[in-house]
């Protein structure tokens, strides 16, 4: 399993909505335009493929920040931010 923080900046409302819906199938939204995901390699490849087909590479931006398991332990959450994987739930 690979852990990611995924962010996006999409100018067009229709494309942004499609990308949000696609990400919802693989990741947990934690802030506007920010998701957390724990993905098997094949799901990571499929998600990247789907996002690349939806986005316009000269206008939009999607960034995957890969986290190691040790980095995940160092996440500090303040306020009402969700704990997406706190109960052992993983997106596959």
């Amino acid at each position: 399993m690979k852990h990611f923080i995924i962010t996006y900046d999409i100018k067009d409302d229709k494309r942004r909505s499609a990308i949000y819906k696609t990400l919802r199938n693989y990741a947990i939204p934690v802030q506007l335009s920010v998701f957390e995901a724990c993905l098997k390699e094949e799901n990571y490849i499929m998600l990247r493929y789907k996002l690349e087909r939806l986005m316009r590479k000269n206008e939009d931006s999607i960034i995957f920040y890969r986290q190691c398991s040790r980095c995940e332990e160092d996440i500090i959450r303040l306020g009402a931010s969700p704990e997406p994987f706190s109960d052992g739930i993983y997106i596959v």
Side-chain angles (χ1 to χ4, degrees):
M1 295 290 224
K2 295 180 177 181
H3 298 256
F4 296 95
I5 303 294
I6 307 165
T7 67
Y8 62 84
D9 185 12
I10 310 297
K11 298 182 188 293
D12 179 77
D13 290 341
K14 188 175 178 181
R15 285 197 315 273
R16 184 173 48 251
S17 177
I19 286 170
Y20 177 86
K21 287 177 184 175
T22 299
L23 280 166
R24 285 280 308 197
N25 291 330
Y26 291 86
I28 304 291
V30 291
Q31 299 249 320
L32 292 174
S33 303
V34 179
F35 284 75
E36 288 186 22
C38 182
L39 301 169
K40 291 182 177 178
E41 179 69 20
E42 60 266 25
N43 289 332
Y44 167 66
I45 292 169
M46 182 56 70
L47 176 59
R48 280 191 53 182
Y49 172 77
K50 288 179 179 178
L51 293 175
E52 287 178 2
R53 290 183 53 100
L54 292 170
M55 69 183 292
R56 286 195 181 158
K57 292 180 181 176
N58 60 341
E59 294 180 24
D60 303 331
S61 170
I62 301 173
I63 303 171
F64 287 73
Y65 296 97
R66 178 138 185 230
Q67 293 187 293
C68 66
S69 58
R70 196 181 77 207
C71 294
E72 187 179 5
E73 295 171 3
D74 293 332
I75 295 172
I76 299 168
R77 300 175 194 275
L78 302 175
S81 62
E83 301 246 0
F85 305 116
S86 61
D87 55 358
I89 297 172
Y90 289 91
I91 304 296
V92 291

